[in-house]
Amino acid sequence: MLWYTGKRLLQMIPVFFGATFLIYFMVFSLPGDPIAALFGDHPPSPAVIEQIRAEYNLDEPFFVQYLIYIGGFFQGDLGTTYSGRAVSDVMAAAFPITARLALLALAMEAVAGIFVGLVAGLRKGKFFDASALVVSLLLISVPTFVIGFVLQYVFAINLGWARTTVSGAAPWSELILPALVLASVSFAYIVRLTRASVSDNLSADFVRTATAKGLSRPRVVTVHVLRNSLVPVVTFLGVDLGSLMVGAIVTEGIFNINGVGGTVFKAIRLGEGPTVVSFIAVMVVIFVVANLLVDLLYAALDPRIRYAK
Amino acid sequence: MRIKRLGVVAIAFAAAGALTLSGCAGGTAEPAASSDASAIVSTNGSEPQNPLIPTNTTETGGGKIVTSLFAGLVSYSATGEIQNEVADSIESDDATTWTVTLKDGWTFTNDEPVTAESFVDAWNYGALLSNAQSSSYFFDDIVGYDGAADSELTGLKVVDDKTFTVELASPEADWPLRLGYTAFSPLPKAAFADMAAFGENPIGNGPYMLASDGAWTHEVKIELVTNPAYDGVRKPVNGGLSIVFYATQDAAYADVQGGNLDVLDAVPDSAFQTYQSDFPDSYVNQPAAVFQAFNMPYYLAHWSGDEGKLRRAAISMSIDRKEITDVIFQSTRTPATDFTSPVIAGYSDQLKGADVLEFNATKAKELWAEADAISPYTGTFDIAYNADGGHQGWVDAVINSIKNTLGIDAVGKPYPTFAAALDDRENEKLTGATRAGWQGDYPSLYNFLSPLYQTGAGSNYEGYSSAEFDTLLKEGAAASSVEAATAKYQQAQEVLLKDLPTIPLWYSNVTAVWSADTVSNVAFGWDGVPLYSEITKG
């Protein structure tokens, strides 16, 4: 197990270099001169633009730019944005907020999704099951921004229960509403995954055996049915953590959250190579670690899974 | 079993309860916090593109902050007239050599007095090439300016603490008009020691100052309080400003509705239909100094010479501006009648030849047929735009208007970003028209004409060149009075109306809302920015 974990962590190194190189190249290949575009319809003199290009090494060929970036990376210098801020400062501001938001959403969707899915699976075909399916279908088919605007309008503007947007410090309490929006779609998927998995496992041999042994129903449901049903759900949650960290652009926009999604989006639009690559590098690490955790959880959930050396 | 399941339900309910409880806490904590400093007006903004150095701030986000932090020689009234701030007088006999005298008693917030040197040093810093300031070209008419090498502005001479002279390369009667622009602000000595650090925590002489060191929380907001030492024409009646940065105007609009924001100076497109009913007593919708158009490059076949002139006029007359501004923009744009803006002194809707900007399907078809007689038109007419700027709606409407009137093939041509569009524009690789816009730096006709249409000017991408226009502009600049200059600039625009290097579309309005419960006396300047100092809170 330790060996397996070590091997997986070592695999991160080529993934890291490959991902940063590719992303840097993609940002480099974006059409147009990012510096000229900064000034809109009022361009400064060409000499000034040249000077700014040189300041950001944009006059160098691609490989030199990449090497300068990687060189700085290993000395702890992630470069600067076109507004002159250290990329590390930008990351230190955005990541904690996004992490809080993602964890909150993950907790909400996991707890509520697994609970509803379990009950629906146990009462297959009954009223609760039918309504859970209808609600989840609804959540999956409505776009996030609609859910976002509706929840913002109802809870923040009309009822005044929450703040319309998240303030700069982004405390946990203000993040509940946006986390609810983020969690809604994944909640629906988790309900469906859990439900299907639970209803499959209910008729599995090991459940029949457990019941025949005389175990109480709660014990059969929690230890045997639910635990084995969680494997696909945990896989989904692992991937979802990654996309929650990256893909919350729409929700961040609606609630004016200064998070990772919006920052990366803005940096891509501006063609800010160092910012984009630094953020992506961290996200690659998060993805790899989340996937590793998921794989390790498999063994804990399903005793039949063992890791080969 | 029953108990266990109840347990889970109880946990779920407890979680839901916690959710609403803390949601409540979030909602009530805010007003309490803001009542402590009830006179602080909160308003929308965006993260400044650069550190807050006056000569390096050319965009709106940083501009509204820098204007609040600094007071230049003059500032602009709501209607765009100049009013003296630090200047006591700005005088010249020949419009070439200007003598500037300063008032007594002005200081920066670090108690350093504002002297002639504060201006001369700041302008020299801004103009020096190696400082790479985005506003450096604003000093290009002062003797000594060099856009290609480091050079001192030798035309600036300090006479004494309160007097300096400016020698211009050529006479300009309305030169003082531009001095309210942020680039002409003074800087304290402390700035030059470490400009980057100064840009984080600027020390100014304006109506407001930073609430504390580090009052600028990047990407979040900046907190300003009233500068007690300021005694100019923009003396604030409120206690300060909290300028909150928004990534989308939709979020800002929701915040005004939810009571978290006092003033929003740009209503989002999504609220064009509803803002008047959402804020029945607290909205404005009035023209601002933004001109929007599309340009036809001269290097394209069919678009140069006499044929091009006819075709441009035909295109212009085939666009129903009134209908598009009413339907697409819900009247938040005003159809164009010239090349400047109604808020600029000297604007006229009576220019000779301005009928070419009116919808006239019959005339448009005639002109197009005349052009076809010279050389028959083939191919598709396209208008390039950047897809990330919300332009698709009106481009499609304009295209339809042209298509329906002239019966030609026409399409909108989206570019993913402004950078990509600019690239093709600079490399002369456009296949058709391109979206263009101009936001006035200072309230003067000259600022709307010279940078865009003068031969070889910085923003004249499409290569328009007219000797007649250049001469009129030069005569206007050298005219002995502002009235005489205006007459020349209007004649110059009549040349543009004949040539149509750009097809004027409309002026952007400032469409703004504010919370009637918390603020009053909200008015907007010529540039569409709220007159912050006049807003009363509570």
Side-chain angles (χ1 to χ4, degrees):
Chain A
M1 176 104 154
L2 215 61
W3 203 85
Y4 174 81
T5 313
K7 196 173 79 178
R8 287 284 299 267
L9 287 176
L10 277 180
Q11 280 173 2
M12 275 170 60
I13 295 170
V15 170
F16 171 82
F17 277 104
T20 52
F21 183 82
L22 271 180
I23 305 274
Y24 208 102
F25 182 70
M26 284 193 245
V27 176
F28 177 83
S29 313
L30 284 176
D33 175 2
I35 299 298
L38 284 181
F39 300 101
D41 294 308
H42 300 223
S45 72
V48 168
I49 290 192
E50 264 325 297
Q51 190 118 11
I52 300 173
R53 287 173 61 82
E55 194 182 319
Y56 291 101
N57 301 314
L58 292 172
D59 49 350
E60 305 280 359
F62 167 68
F63 277 100
V64 178
Q65 283 190 41
Y66 180 69
L67 288 178
I68 292 175
Y69 171 74
I70 285 291
F73 187 95
F74 285 109
Q75 292 164 32
D77 172 16
L78 300 179
T80 52
T81 67
Y82 293 148
S83 57
R85 287 179 74 200
V87 173
S88 49
D89 287 352
V90 179
M91 293 174 82
F95 267 106
I97 295 176
T98 295
R100 281 206 291 275
L101 184 61
L103 288 179
L104 208 53
L106 203 70
M108 283 183 186
E109 68 191 43
V111 171
I114 293 172
F115 175 74
V116 174
L118 176 66
V119 176
L122 291 174
R123 301 184 177 181
K124 204 171 166 194
K126 303 270 175 52
F127 176 74
F128 185 89
D129 179 36
S131 18
L133 284 181
V134 170
V135 169
S136 61
L137 184 69
L138 209 71
L139 288 176
I140 290 171
S141 35
V142 177
T144 316
F145 72 89
V146 174
I147 300 178
F149 280 125
V150 168
L151 291 192
Q152 184 185 50
Y153 190 77
V154 172
F155 289 107
I157 297 177
N158 254 4
L159 297 172
W161 288 358
R163 207 175 180 277
T164 26
T165 60
V166 174
S167 60
W172 289 95
S173 60
E174 289 180 10
L175 289 172
I176 291 174
L177 196 60
L180 204 61
V181 175
L182 275 179
S184 60
V185 177
S186 304
F187 161 79
Y189 283 114
I190 292 171
V191 167
R192 292 183 157 235
L193 275 174
T194 316
R195 175 188 173 275
S197 194
V198 163
S199 78
D200 273 356
N201 281 333
L202 271 180
S203 52
D205 290 344
F206 62 83
V207 173
R208 218 167 5 151
T209 313
T211 315
K213 272 199 309 191
L215 290 182
S216 69
R217 173 120 170 125
R219 187 152 173 84
V220 173
V221 168
T222 51
V223 177
H224 295 272
V225 177
L226 184 59
R227 189 169 144 186
N228 282 288
S229 305
L230 284 183
V231 171
V233 177
V234 166
T235 313
F236 178 83
L237 284 174
V239 178
D240 203 40
L241 176 66
S243 45
L244 283 175
M245 290 294 292
V246 197
I249 300 174
V250 174
T251 314
E252 284 179 4
I254 294 172
F255 294 98
N256 202 39
I257 301 169
N258 175 29
V260 170
T263 309
V264 173
F265 178 67
K266 192 173 147 193
I268 292 175
R269 268 184 46 179
L270 290 176
E272 267 177 12
T275 317
V276 179
V277 178
S278 303
F279 272 86
I280 304 276
V282 174
M283 289 189 295
V284 167
V285 173
I286 292 173
F287 257 101
V288 173
V289 170
N291 274 315
L292 177 62
L293 283 178
V294 167
D295 287 350
L296 294 177
L297 267 178
Y298 284 167
L301 289 172
D302 189 338
R304 284 168 298 186
I305 298 173
R306 286 286 171 268
Y307 296 109
K309 280 204 167 179
Chain B
M1 163 186 153
R2 188 145 284 258
I3 291 164
K4 273 249 162 114
R5 200 179 294 167
L6 260 179
V8 181
V9 174
I11 291 169
F13 272 103
L19 188 156
T20 41
L21 276 181
S22 43
C24 268
T28 48
E30 278 312 307
S34 65
S35 69
D36 292 341
S38 58
I40 304 285
V41 176
S42 61
T43 183
N44 69 301
S46 55
E47 168 80 3
Q49 225 173 57
N50 290 303
L52 297 168
I53 301 162
T55 46
N56 207 20
T57 300
T58 41
E59 36 75 60
T60 339
K64 54 171 85 159
I65 301 170
V66 170
T67 316
S68 301
L69 290 176
F70 290 89
L73 294 170
V74 299
S75 66
Y76 300 117
S77 70
T79 50
E81 276 122 29
I82 51 172
Q83 37 194 7
N84 283 350
E85 287 254 53
V86 184
D88 192 31
S89 69
I90 305 168
E91 287 164 344
S92 173
D93 298 330
D94 55 1
T96 306
T97 306
W98 294 82
T99 305
V100 180
T101 53
L102 308 181
K103 285 181 193 145
D104 288 325
W106 281 78
T107 56
F108 291 99
T109 51
N110 64 352
D111 293 335
E112 184 189 320
V114 180
T115 64
E117 261 186 6
S118 316
F119 283 95
V120 170
D121 291 350
W123 295 6
N124 261 311
Y125 177 87
L128 199 70
L129 175 68
S130 55
N131 290 332
Q133 300 291 291
S134 57
S135 299
S136 59
Y137 63 98
F138 275 91
F139 305 101
D140 65 358
D141 38 20
I142 297 174
V143 168
Y145 176 86
D146 190 337
D150 273 359
S151 154
E152 199 193 338
L153 296 177
T154 46
L156 297 180
K157 289 202 178 66
V158 176
V159 178
D160 59 47
D161 258 10
K162 292 279 173 276
T163 318
F164 68 100
T165 59
V166 182
E167 195 189 335
L168 301 179
S170 57
E172 281 175 59
D174 68 352
W175 183 74
L177 245 186
R178 73 188 57 188
L179 295 176
Y181 186 63
T182 47
F184 296 98
S185 304
L187 286 176
K189 290 203 165 50
F192 302 101
D194 184 351
M195 202 49 102
F198 178 81
E200 276 297 309
N201 292 297
I203 299 160
N205 62 334
Y208 295 97
M209 58 186 194
L210 293 191
S212 63
D213 264 15
W216 178 9
T217 317
H218 284 279
E219 307 281 353
V220 176
K221 63 178 171 181
I222 189 162
E223 302 279 2
L224 309 181
V225 294
T226 310
N227 172 10
Y230 174 86
D231 197 21
V233 287
R234 292 181 289 156
K235 198 149 181 63
V237 295
N238 46 50
L241 299 176
S242 172
I243 300 179
V244 185
F245 306 147
Y246 288 93
T248 66
Q249 303 300 358
D250 293 289
Y253 191 79
D255 260 354
V256 187
Q257 286 185 303
N260 290 325
L261 191 72
D262 296 328
V263 181
L264 168 65
D265 65 14
V267 168
D269 304 10
S270 59
F272 279 172
Q273 299 237 13
T274 55
Y275 75 95
Q276 298 190 359
S277 51
D278 286 345
F279 298 92
D281 306 315
S282 54
Y283 73 86
V284 296
N285 179 31
Q286 65 192 39
V290 179
F291 168 82
Q292 289 174 329
F294 61 83
N295 296 355
M296 291 305 311
Y298 280 83
Y299 52 80
L300 292 177
H302 298 299
W303 297 101
S304 57
D306 286 342
E307 185 198 351
K309 230 185 245 189
L310 289 167
R311 289 202 195 281
R312 284 193 295 273
I315 292 273
S316 176
M317 293 178 108
S318 66
I319 302 165
D320 194 344
R321 294 171 178 79
K322 175 89 177 61
E323 168 125 8
I324 294 171
T325 51
D326 281 354
V327 175
I328 304 280
F329 291 117
Q330 300 286 326
S331 304
T332 60
R333 303 284 189 278
T334 308
T337 58
D338 79 339
F339 295 82
T340 62
S341 155
V343 296
I344 306 297
Y347 157 83
S348 166
D349 56 2
Q350 304 293 330
L351 294 177
K352 205 170 79 203
D355 56 339
V356 76
L357 304 180
E358 277 158 33
F359 179 56
N360 186 340
T362 338
K363 190 81 192 294
K365 273 184 221 145
E366 275 173 35
L367 291 170
W368 192 261
E370 266 181 61
D372 272 348
I374 300 175
S375 152
Y377 188 77
T378 51
T380 306
F381 175 79
D382 65 51
I383 300 180
Y385 62 99
N386 47 314
D388 60 357
H391 300 294
Q392 192 191 353
W394 70 258
V395 170
D396 286 350
V398 167
I399 286 289
N400 279 332
S401 199
I402 294 171
K403 207 154 58 174
N404 295 339
T405 312
L406 297 179
I408 58 172
D409 271 349
V411 289
K413 184 180 170 193
Y415 282 85
T417 58
F418 184 67
L422 198 61
D423 215 29
D424 271 7
R425 213 171 150 186
E426 286 194 330
N427 297 324
E428 306 204 339
K429 282 201 299 210
L430 291 170
T431 54
T434 178
R435 175 195 83 75
W438 185 258
Q439 179 162 20
D441 300 307
Y442 51 92
S444 139
L445 295 178
Y446 185 78
N447 181 246
F448 279 80
L449 300 174
S450 161
L452 292 162
Y453 314 112
Q454 209 161 23
T455 307
S459 299
N460 184 357
Y461 295 107
E462 277 72 25
Y464 175 68
S465 174
S466 155
E468 194 187 355
F469 175 82
D470 290 354
T471 314
L472 283 166
L473 216 55
K474 220 170 276 167
E475 286 171 7
S480 53
S481 71
V482 175
E483 291 72 29
T486 299
K488 290 289 178 191
Y489 294 147
Q490 289 184 349
Q491 282 176 33
Q493 288 195 68
E494 284 165 2
V495 175
L496 294 182
L497 282 170
K498 271 187 272 167
D499 292 347
L500 287 179
T502 188
I503 315 281
L505 293 171
W506 39 72
Y507 316 110
S508 264
N509 287 9
V510 47
T511 309
V513 295
W514 59 92
S515 161
D517 299 337
T518 57
V519 289
S520 51
N521 204 22
V522 184
F524 292 79
W526 67 277
D527 52 359
V529 174
L531 300 168
Y532 294 123
S533 58
E534 294 178 11
I535 300 173
T536 49
K537 171 112 185 195

